[in-house]
């Protein structure tokens, strides 16, 4: 069997290569879905899948699959992977660590000439972050039918380019099958970086994920009236940015008052027309709300909507759109036990952990049995260029996932 050193070296090579497919070299990873950087990453992933002897296919969203056939005809697959898009100026590991882990598990299957009863499929998912088309979890939601083909086609980026147009611009076939019959999926495994400080503080290389927080992404629009910054008296203004700022300043307290780990973030804000000497006509900003309990998320959504509504006056109109809403999700208990059992067998220390970040695994969890592993994030950092995880931890996780996948595909 390939030594774990070789696996570790290949992991580093894959992560480093993928990190070069970025629109912001030297300023982190910016790989927006269906961009040139995305195309280079998908070509690389497909090349490696073929080198590893996988049968490669894509779906109508641009998700990429590399399959090892099973002995059982038309049997459902064990999927293993993650996403390969990024946030703007993000890190090299968020998403790719899981795709690369899937590749290396498949490589170990091939190198050990395993004949699984059930197929193993490596999956590289698109637009998990929602950085280009909003919301997020797009590739996985599309696969299971939570995002309809029509809603998918209607998604546009901030320049008004639709998903379908963007796919065609890089030569992707939009006519390929989109929704996948969930009966073709036996289970889904995902390795991800923790993106927080817990594993590092516990000095533990592996986290077995128990549950993922519920989350929503709202988009608030504040419409005022553009005007000249110099000639418009202060009492005759409908300044959309002053109103938006007043709304946003009230949001953190909502999460603090809700408690139980509830968090709220405004991460994106657009000002139109965005001229230094123009009174802002329109402001559009996001509100990301998360909690381990759905009730907390719902309470805060209601309070945000109430605050936004109160500003509908004096020439200002406001609206709130829900771009994404997903309830907290528990991972499958049998897979949790399997991952813990394999960690023990390999004498790799682990602990149970919950996820404050959303993941594609939460989408699949309503359609198949799902399990996740975390590895530590240096200084707990993620969604920034400093994001880093130790390839030795990633190799340990690959080893555990390899053993678990052997059991799930009945390759033993
Ligand atoms: O936002 C998240 O939790 C994930 O990184 N998409
Ligand atoms: Mn992320
Ligand atoms: Mn991620």
């Amino acid at each position: 069997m390939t030594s774990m050193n070789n696996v570790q070296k290949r992991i580093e090579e894959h992560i480093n290569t993928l990190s070069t497919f970025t629109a912001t070299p030297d300023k982190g990873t910016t790989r927006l879905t269906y961009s040139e950087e995305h195309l280079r990453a998908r070509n690389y992933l497909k090349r490696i899948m073929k080198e590893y002897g996988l049968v490669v296919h894509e779906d109508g969203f641009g998700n990429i699959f590399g399959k090892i056939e099973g002995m059982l005809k038309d049997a459902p697959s064990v999927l293993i992977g993650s996403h390969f898009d990024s946030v703007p100026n993000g890190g090299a590991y968020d998403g790719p660590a899981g795709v690369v882990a899937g590749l290396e598990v498949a490589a170990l299957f091939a190198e050990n000439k395993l004949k699984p009863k059930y197929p193993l499929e490596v999956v590289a998912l698109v637009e998990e972050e929602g950085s280009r088309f909003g919301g997020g979890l797009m590739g996985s939601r599309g696969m299971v039918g939570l995002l309809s083909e029509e809603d998918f086609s209607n998604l546009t980026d901030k320049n008004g380019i639709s998903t379908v147009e963007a796919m065609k611009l890089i030569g992707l076939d939009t006519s390929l099958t989109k929704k996948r019959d969930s009966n073709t999926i036996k289970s889904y495994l995902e390795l991800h970086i923790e993106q927080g400080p817990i594993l590092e503080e516990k000095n533990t290389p592996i986290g077995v994920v128990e549950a993922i927080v519920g989350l929503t992404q709202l988009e608030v629009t504040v419409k005022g009236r553009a005007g000249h910054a110099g000639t418009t008296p202060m009492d005759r203004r409908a300044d959309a940015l002053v109103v938006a700022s007043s709304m946003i300043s009230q949001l953190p307290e909502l999460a603090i008052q809700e408690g139980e780990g509830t968090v709220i973030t405004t991460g994106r804000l657009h000002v139109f027309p965005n001229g230094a000497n123009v009174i802002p006509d329109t402001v559009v900003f996001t509100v990301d709300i998360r909690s381990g309990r759905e009730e907390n998320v719902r309470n805060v959504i209601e309070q945000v909507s109430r605050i936004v509504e109160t500003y509908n006056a004096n020439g200002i109109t406001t609206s709130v759109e829900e771009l994404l809403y997903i309830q907290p999700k528990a991972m499958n208990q049998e897979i949790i036990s399997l991952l813990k059992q394999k960690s023990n067998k390999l004498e790799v220390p682990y602990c149970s952990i919950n996820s404050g970040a959303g993941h594609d695994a939460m989408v699949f969890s309503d359609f198949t049995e799902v399990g996740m592993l975390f590895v530590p994030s240096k200084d707990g950092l993620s969604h920034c260029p400093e994001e880093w995880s130790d390839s030795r931890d990633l190799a340990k996780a690959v080893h555990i996932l390899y053993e678990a996948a052997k059991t799930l595909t009945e390759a033993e």
Side-chain angles (χ1 to χ4, degrees):
M1 171 162 155
T2 302
S3 78
M4 287 323 276
N5 279 344
N6 289 357
V7 169
Q8 183 184 338
K9 281 195 183 60
R10 290 198 308 233
I11 288 170
E12 287 173 1
E13 188 187 323
H14 295 322
I15 297 278
N16 293 339
T17 306
L18 286 166
S19 70
T20 63
F21 307 139
T22 171
T24 54
D26 304 329
K27 294 194 186 75
T29 302
T30 302
R31 186 162 54 244
L32 299 187
T33 299
Y34 311 139
S35 63
E36 273 312 305
E37 299 75 38
H38 165 101
L39 179 60
R40 293 172 62 207
R42 62 184 306 116
N43 290 340
Y44 176 79
L45 291 170
K46 285 161 57 178
R47 177 169 68 80
I48 299 299
M49 285 177 173
K50 286 171 188 152
E51 276 178 20
Y52 284 7
L54 307 183
V55 176
V56 179
H57 82 273
E58 304 171 34
D59 67 13
F61 299 105
N63 294 315
I64 308 167
F65 304 84
K67 187 174 186 179
I68 294 178
E69 276 303 345
M71 307 295 277
L72 265 181
K73 199 166 165 358
D74 300 332
S77 298
V78 173
L79 261 57
I80 180 167
S82 190
H83 62 97
F84 66 106
D85 60 316
S86 79
V87 295
N89 302 96
Y93 294 79
D94 175 359
V99 176
V100 166
L103 288 173
E104 287 308 310
V105 166
L108 290 172
F109 265 62
E111 285 159 4
N112 292 291
K113 298 183 179 33
L114 297 187
K115 294 258 177 266
K117 201 168 156 190
Y118 292 87
L120 181 77
E121 276 192 77
V122 181
V123 59
L125 296 161
V126 302
E127 193 63 351
E128 185 273 347
E129 301 287 5
S131 302
R132 181 169 183 184
F133 297 103
L137 303 170
M138 187 184 82
S140 49
R141 286 190 296 137
M143 264 180 74
V144 297
L146 287 177
L147 176 71
S148 69
E149 291 203 25
E150 187 191 359
D151 288 347
F152 166 72
S153 309
N154 290 335
L155 288 173
T156 57
D157 67 10
K158 63 180 184 337
N159 301 316
I161 297 173
S162 75
T163 47
V164 173
E165 288 162 340
M167 286 183 76
K168 286 177 180 165
L169 281 172
I170 61 166
L172 297 188
D173 182 349
T174 59
S175 69
L176 293 174
T177 308
K178 289 186 172 63
K179 184 178 177 309
R180 174 166 176 161
D181 176 353
S182 49
N183 293 323
T184 67
I185 305 172
K186 180 173 186 285
S187 23
Y188 175 79
L189 296 173
E190 181 170 1
L191 165 69
H192 206 282
I193 56 172
E194 180 203 334
Q195 301 181 290
I198 296 168
L199 292 177
E200 186 179 58
E201 283 169 5
K202 288 179 174 240
N203 193 25
T204 302
I206 294 292
V208 178
V209 178
E210 299 280 344
I212 303 176
V213 291
L215 61 93
T216 188
Q217 191 176 108
L218 307 176
E219 187 172 80
V220 178
T221 300
V222 180
K223 278 200 72 56
R225 190 176 52 253
H228 194 296
T231 58
T232 312
M234 292 311 289
D235 63 354
R236 293 194 201 174
R237 294 181 178 214
D239 184 327
L241 185 51
V242 167
V243 167
S245 313
S246 173
M247 289 176 180
I248 293 167
S249 65
Q250 298 174 63
L251 301 184
E253 190 58 27
L254 300 180
I256 295 164
Q257 289 305 319
E258 190 65 27
E260 296 185 304
T262 307
V263 289
I264 195 166
T265 312
T266 288
R268 187 170 62 216
L269 182 143
H270 291 304
V271 183
F272 303 94
N274 209 26
N277 55 356
V278 181
I279 301 169
D281 165 71
T282 302
V283 170
V284 181
F285 64 88
T286 56
V287 183
D288 177 307
I289 306 164
R290 309 183 187 209
S291 179
R293 283 184 353 106
E294 182 178 10
E295 188 192 341
N296 297 139
V297 176
R298 293 242 57 101
N299 287 344
V300 176
I301 291 174
E302 275 162 36
Q303 293 175 71
V304 170
S305 304
R306 182 180 48 73
I307 288 173
V308 171
E309 179 57 32
T310 57
Y311 286 86
N312 250 315
N314 310 322
I316 294 283
T317 55
T318 63
S319 62
V320 182
E321 186 186 349
E322 192 175 273
L323 299 183
L324 175 71
Y325 180 84
I326 191 161
Q327 297 156 321
K329 300 288 180 191
M331 298 295 97
N332 176 278
Q333 280 306 321
E334 274 138 57
I335 295 203
I336 288 172
S337 306
L338 179 67
L339 292 171
K340 290 179 177 176
Q341 180 211 337
K342 299 301 182 186
S343 303
N344 285 331
K345 175 185 170 190
L346 294 166
E347 296 176 353
V348 177
Y350 70 85
C351 67
S352 294
I353 191 167
N354 287 326
S355 176
H359 299 289
D360 291 304
M362 67 199 301
V363 172
F364 290 115
S365 68
D366 286 338
F367 299 88
T368 189
E369 51 181 27
V370 167
M372 277 197 89
L373 286 184
F374 278 174
V375 293
S377 291
K378 186 170 181 310
D379 302 329
L381 294 177
S382 180
H383 281 189
C384 59
E386 296 76 18
E387 182 182 278
W388 184 85
S389 287
D390 192 324
S391 56
R392 287 169 296 183
D393 295 335
L394 292 169
K396 287 180 183 125
V398 164
H399 212 167
I400 295 163
L401 289 169
Y402 169 64
E403 293 296 331
K406 276 200 295 186
T407 300
L408 292 170
T409 58
E410 298 182 23
E412 287 158 314

Short mmCIF file of all heavy atoms in Angstrom, two decimals, residues 83 85-87 94-95 128-129 192 195 357-359 382-383 387, ligand 2:
data_model
loop_
_atom_site.label_atom_id
_atom_site.label_comp_id
_atom_site.label_asym_id
_atom_site.label_seq_id
_atom_site.Cartn_x
_atom_site.Cartn_y
_atom_site.Cartn_z
N HIS A 83 -16.31 20.89 -2.02
CA HIS A 83 -16.46 21.92 -3.07
C HIS A 83 -15.10 22.46 -3.50
O HIS A 83 -14.11 22.31 -2.77
CB HIS A 83 -17.34 23.07 -2.57
CG HIS A 83 -16.79 23.80 -1.37
ND1 HIS A 83 -16.08 24.97 -1.47
CD2 HIS A 83 -16.83 23.51 -0.05
CE1 HIS A 83 -15.73 25.39 -0.26
NE2 HIS A 83 -16.15 24.51 0.61
N ASP A 85 -14.88 25.80 -5.08
CA ASP A 85 -14.93 27.25 -5.25
C ASP A 85 -14.39 27.89 -3.97
O ASP A 85 -14.03 27.20 -3.02
CB ASP A 85 -16.38 27.71 -5.51
CG ASP A 85 -17.31 27.34 -4.37
OD1 ASP A 85 -17.23 26.20 -3.87
OD2 ASP A 85 -18.11 28.20 -3.95
N SER A 86 -14.37 29.22 -3.93
CA SER A 86 -13.82 29.88 -2.73
C SER A 86 -14.60 31.15 -2.43
O SER A 86 -15.40 31.62 -3.23
CB SER A 86 -12.35 30.23 -2.96
OG SER A 86 -12.27 31.42 -3.74
N VAL A 87 -14.33 31.70 -1.26
CA VAL A 87 -14.79 33.07 -0.96
C VAL A 87 -13.76 34.01 -1.60
O VAL A 87 -12.68 33.58 -1.99
CB VAL A 87 -14.89 33.31 0.56
CG1 VAL A 87 -15.96 32.43 1.18
CG2 VAL A 87 -13.54 33.13 1.26
N ASP A 94 -10.17 25.40 2.24
CA ASP A 94 -11.64 25.35 2.43
C ASP A 94 -12.28 24.83 1.15
O ASP A 94 -12.42 25.56 0.18
CB ASP A 94 -12.13 26.76 2.75
CG ASP A 94 -13.65 26.81 2.84
OD1 ASP A 94 -14.31 25.78 2.64
OD2 ASP A 94 -14.18 27.90 3.11
N GLY A 95 -12.64 23.56 1.20
CA GLY A 95 -13.21 22.88 0.03
C GLY A 95 -12.20 21.93 -0.59
O GLY A 95 -12.36 20.71 -0.50
N GLU A 128 -20.35 26.23 -3.57
CA GLU A 128 -20.80 25.98 -2.18
C GLU A 128 -20.84 27.32 -1.43
O GLU A 128 -21.73 27.57 -0.61
CB GLU A 128 -19.83 25.02 -1.50
CG GLU A 128 -20.23 24.58 -0.10
CD GLU A 128 -19.76 25.53 0.99
OE1 GLU A 128 -18.91 26.39 0.72
OE2 GLU A 128 -20.28 25.41 2.12
N GLU A 129 -19.88 28.19 -1.71
CA GLU A 129 -19.80 29.46 -0.95
C GLU A 129 -20.87 30.47 -1.36
O GLU A 129 -21.21 31.35 -0.59
CB GLU A 129 -18.42 30.10 -1.18
CG GLU A 129 -17.25 29.24 -0.77
CD GLU A 129 -17.09 29.13 0.73
OE1 GLU A 129 -17.94 29.64 1.47
OE2 GLU A 129 -16.12 28.52 1.17
N HIS A 192 -13.33 18.20 5.87
CA HIS A 192 -13.26 19.66 5.77
C HIS A 192 -12.33 20.20 6.85
O HIS A 192 -12.14 19.56 7.89
CB HIS A 192 -14.65 20.28 5.92
CG HIS A 192 -14.80 21.61 5.25
ND1 HIS A 192 -14.31 22.77 5.78
CD2 HIS A 192 -15.34 21.97 4.06
CE1 HIS A 192 -14.56 23.78 4.97
NE2 HIS A 192 -15.19 23.32 3.91
N GLN A 195 -12.03 25.27 10.46
CA GLN A 195 -12.29 26.71 10.29
C GLN A 195 -12.52 27.41 11.63
O GLN A 195 -13.09 28.49 11.69
CB GLN A 195 -13.50 26.95 9.36
CG GLN A 195 -13.31 26.34 7.96
CD GLN A 195 -14.47 26.59 7.04
OE1 GLN A 195 -15.55 26.03 7.23
NE2 GLN A 195 -14.25 27.41 6.02
N ALA A 357 -19.72 26.20 10.63
CA ALA A 357 -19.73 26.53 9.20
C ALA A 357 -20.74 25.61 8.51
O ALA A 357 -20.99 24.50 8.95
CB ALA A 357 -18.34 26.32 8.59
N GLY A 358 -21.29 26.11 7.41
CA GLY A 358 -22.19 25.27 6.61
C GLY A 358 -21.36 24.43 5.66
O GLY A 358 -20.24 24.78 5.32
N HIS A 359 -21.91 23.30 5.26
CA HIS A 359 -21.19 22.41 4.33
C HIS A 359 -22.18 21.68 3.43
O HIS A 359 -23.36 21.50 3.79
CB HIS A 359 -20.38 21.37 5.11
CG HIS A 359 -19.35 21.98 6.00
ND1 HIS A 359 -18.21 22.60 5.52
CD2 HIS A 359 -19.31 22.10 7.36
CE1 HIS A 359 -17.51 23.06 6.54
NE2 HIS A 359 -18.15 22.79 7.67
N SER A 382 -9.84 30.91 8.89
CA SER A 382 -10.34 30.44 7.60
C SER A 382 -11.00 31.63 6.88
O SER A 382 -11.19 32.69 7.46
CB SER A 382 -11.35 29.31 7.80
OG SER A 382 -11.84 28.85 6.55
N HIS A 383 -11.32 31.40 5.59
CA HIS A 383 -11.91 32.49 4.78
C HIS A 383 -10.97 33.69 4.75
O HIS A 383 -11.39 34.84 4.77
CB HIS A 383 -13.30 32.90 5.30
CG HIS A 383 -14.37 31.94 4.87
ND1 HIS A 383 -15.71 32.17 5.04
CD2 HIS A 383 -14.29 30.73 4.29
CE1 HIS A 383 -16.42 31.16 4.56
NE2 HIS A 383 -15.57 30.25 4.11
N GLU A 387 -5.30 30.95 5.97
CA GLU A 387 -5.87 29.61 6.22
C GLU A 387 -4.82 28.53 5.94
O GLU A 387 -4.20 28.52 4.86
CB GLU A 387 -7.07 29.44 5.28
CG GLU A 387 -7.85 28.17 5.39
CD GLU A 387 -8.97 28.16 4.34
OE1 GLU A 387 -10.03 28.77 4.61
OE2 GLU A 387 -8.75 27.60 3.25
MN1 LIG B 2 -16.16 28.39 3.22
#
